[in-house]
Amino acid sequence: MISLNLGRSFPPAAGGSLRRMRQNQATPQTLSCSSSLLPNKFKRDYTSVMIVPTGVGAAIGGYAGDALPVARALASVVDCLISHPNVLNAAMLYWPMPNVLYVEGYALDRFAEGLWALETVHQNKVGLVLDSGIEEDLRIRHLQVVDATRASLGLPVLEYTVTDAALQVEKWVDPKTGQSTGRINRPDSLLRAVGTMVERSGVNAIAVVARFPDDDSDDDADNYRQGKGIDLLAGVEAVISHLVVQKFGIPCAHAPALLPFPLSPCLCPKSAAEEIGYTFLPCVLAGLSSAPQYLTQKSTSMGKNSIVASDVDSVILPIDACGGDAALAFARRKTNNRPLIIAVEENETVLSDTPDKLGIPVVKVSNYWEAIGVVVAHKAGIDPYSLRKDRINNIQRRNVPLQSRGMVMDMDMATALQL
């Protein structure tokens, strides 16, 4: 409700002094605007999912947290925003948003497919796994960052452990898709370390720091630091977190351990967040500290704080990245329960999975400015096309099939036979 009050005070009662009346008449006009933005108790919360696949060279979200401003803007207009570390992580930088759920990519796929639900929490018990292949000096740097987040941010990081063997990370670019990927040669060592922490300390969220090779060519590193090309680390980072989430069903995120880059006087702002510290760990710990827990749909512990795929109202993603498991799962939902899918043309990637190619019904927008406008209209119950010039056509009649003596007829045919 918005109220506007423009006017003077009431004149004094009869018998009041002329001097007092003149004083009152000289009182300047007052303008009072008040807005009560109370939640609508007759509508459920509006939930959006924002997806920017990792390691695909996204123009927005393909670098060091450069999609985070989009997430902040979206979070300001929806009741709940669900996104993943590639969108919300910015190395040494992060931004706390109470209505944003930090969901690992594998878990987001299972959520979209209706297999898992998200259970909101007040706080998680976070454990840290360090790759034994990390040099002592670099390990100390990471542990100092952890202590800083515990002391200065109050993050609930309980303890850390070191793997019993070096994880031996390998990374490369998939020649077919052009996206970054990779593997760890000792997944068994990682899973043993995580399993020990879960059993011994009862942690329910895991941060992993693996030693990444410093073997990028000068051209690859320079391109990334100039806001071009793809993130060569991101693909295998996703492989690592997927492995843990698939095995243990708890939140996980990864931060790579690297030697500091040489100072560069020319640096793209999109990549600059990775240049301001020795680790990428702060954003990971901040995200995991309140990340939702994952529940199977058959879980008896599902309650009022659980969010399921049918609660999602809209999905925002790059125009050519519609072929992921989550995007396809949302697109295949029944028509009366399918979220509005918004494809952003400006956010191009190395992929070619366009909605036209896949036959997915979407609302195409030029950029995230327009995407947010569409979300605002959709949340308000307004057809987004009614906000555009000449986009609303005359309503069309749909004929209803009728059964008559084994023959299917529409309403026009039935009327003609009666005549």
Side-chain angles (χ1 to χ4, degrees):
M1 179 183 295
I2 299 177
S3 62
L4 178 66
N5 177 26
L6 180 62
R8 298 185 177 91
S9 303
F10 287 106
S17 70
L18 181 60
R19 181 179 180 182
R20 182 180 300 170
M21 181 182 294
R22 287 175 178 170
Q23 288 177 343
N24 288 337
Q25 289 175 345
T27 301
Q29 292 183 342
T30 59
L31 180 66
S32 173
C33 292
S34 63
S35 176
S36 177
L37 300 178
L38 296 176
N40 191 330
K41 296 181 180 179
F42 302 103
K43 288 187 177 182
R44 63 178 177 81
D45 286 347
Y46 187 95
T47 301
S48 285
V49 172
M50 179 181 171
I51 299 173
V52 181
T54 189
V56 298
I60 301 170
Y63 299 90
D66 54 307
L68 188 51
V70 179
R72 288 185 59 194
L74 273 171
S76 72
V77 299
V78 301
D79 297 304
C80 175
L81 176 64
I82 300 170
S83 197
H84 53 104
N86 187 58
V87 171
L88 301 173
N89 285 352
M92 293 289 287
L93 304 179
Y94 72 99
W95 193 267
M97 294 174 281
N99 63 329
V100 174
L101 299 182
Y102 183 91
V103 180
E104 193 274 340
Y106 178 88
L108 183 57
D109 290 342
R110 305 293 81 77
F111 167 76
E113 292 167 349
L115 301 176
W116 289 8
L118 305 177
E119 181 78 3
T120 57
V121 302
H122 291 297
Q123 185 186 79
N124 288 320
K125 299 176 181 178
V126 182
L128 172 66
V129 174
L130 297 177
D131 183 355
S132 64
I134 300 174
E135 300 90 327
E136 183 65 19
D137 288 354
L138 195 52
R139 182 189 304 177
I140 292 173
R141 291 288 188 187
H142 281 80
L143 293 177
Q144 289 173 342
V145 166
V146 173
D147 284 341
T149 63
R150 294 170 62 230
S152 299
L153 303 179
L155 297 188
V157 186
L158 299 190
E159 63 179 37
Y160 79 96
T161 190
V162 178
T163 61
D164 55 22
L167 298 181
Q168 302 175 28
V169 174
E170 296 181 7
K171 53 187 172 62
W172 62 85
V173 175
D174 187 323
K176 293 183 179 180
T177 64
Q179 64 189 105
S180 67
T181 185
R183 67 185 173 209
I184 56 173
N185 289 306
R186 293 300 305 272
D188 57 317
S189 180
L190 173 62
L191 295 179
R192 277 196 299 272
V194 175
T196 299
M197 292 197 75
V198 170
E199 295 175 7
R200 181 183 64 196
S201 306
V203 299
N204 58 0
I206 293 289
V208 179
V209 180
R211 182 64 168 95
F212 272 52
D214 300 301
D215 58 2
D216 293 339
S217 70
D218 291 340
D219 288 342
D220 289 337
D222 287 344
N223 283 338
Y224 179 78
R225 297 174 83 186
Q226 295 304 318
K228 304 173 185 176
I230 62 173
D231 184 348
L232 295 175
L233 311 181
V236 69
E237 285 194 274
V239 170
I240 292 170
S241 64
H242 291 3
L243 185 66
V244 173
V245 173
Q246 183 177 14
K247 174 68 174 179
F248 296 97
I250 59 177
C252 176
H254 177 270
L258 296 163
L259 295 178
F261 297 113
L263 182 64
S264 172
C266 298
L267 194 68
C268 178
K270 295 194 297 184
S271 304
E274 295 179 354
E275 306 276 341
I276 58 177
Y278 290 95
T279 85
F280 301 171
L281 197 51
C283 62
V284 167
L285 297 177
L288 290 174
S289 67
S290 59
Q293 290 292 315
Y294 311 139
L295 302 175
T296 62
Q297 286 282 32
K298 298 179 181 180
S299 174
T300 57
S301 60
M302 286 183 60
K304 64 178 182 179
N305 294 325
S306 300
I307 300 173
V308 297
S310 58
D311 293 325
V312 174
D313 297 285
S314 59
V315 179
I316 304 96
L317 73 175
I319 187 71
D320 52 11
C322 297
D325 288 350
L328 292 176
F330 283 124
R332 290 168 180 161
R333 296 193 68 84
K334 295 181 180 179
T335 303
N336 62 351
N337 199 23
R338 183 188 302 152
L340 181 70
I341 300 178
I342 304 168
V344 182
E345 294 174 333
E346 189 174 67
N347 199 8
E348 296 178 329
T349 75
V350 299
L351 304 177
S352 58
D353 301 323
T354 63
D356 293 339
K357 180 179 178 180
L358 298 172
I360 295 175
V362 303
V363 175
K364 295 180 182 179
V365 297
S366 297
N367 49 57
Y368 283 107
W369 288 353
E370 292 184 8
I372 293 170
V374 169
V375 168
V376 170
H378 192 233
K379 180 184 177 185
I382 298 170
D383 183 348
Y385 289 108
S386 68
L387 306 183
R388 299 290 303 278
K389 179 182 178 181
D390 299 332
R391 290 297 185 94
I392 300 297
N393 299 318
N394 295 110
I395 192 168
Q396 299 296 308
R397 174 180 176 179
R398 180 181 294 275
N399 293 328
V400 180
L402 297 176
Q403 295 288 340
S404 177
R405 296 180 181 179
M407 180 173 61
V408 177
M409 300 181 292
D410 62 24
M411 288 294 294
D412 290 337
M413 185 185 299
T415 302
L417 290 176
Q418 290 176 356
L419 295 177

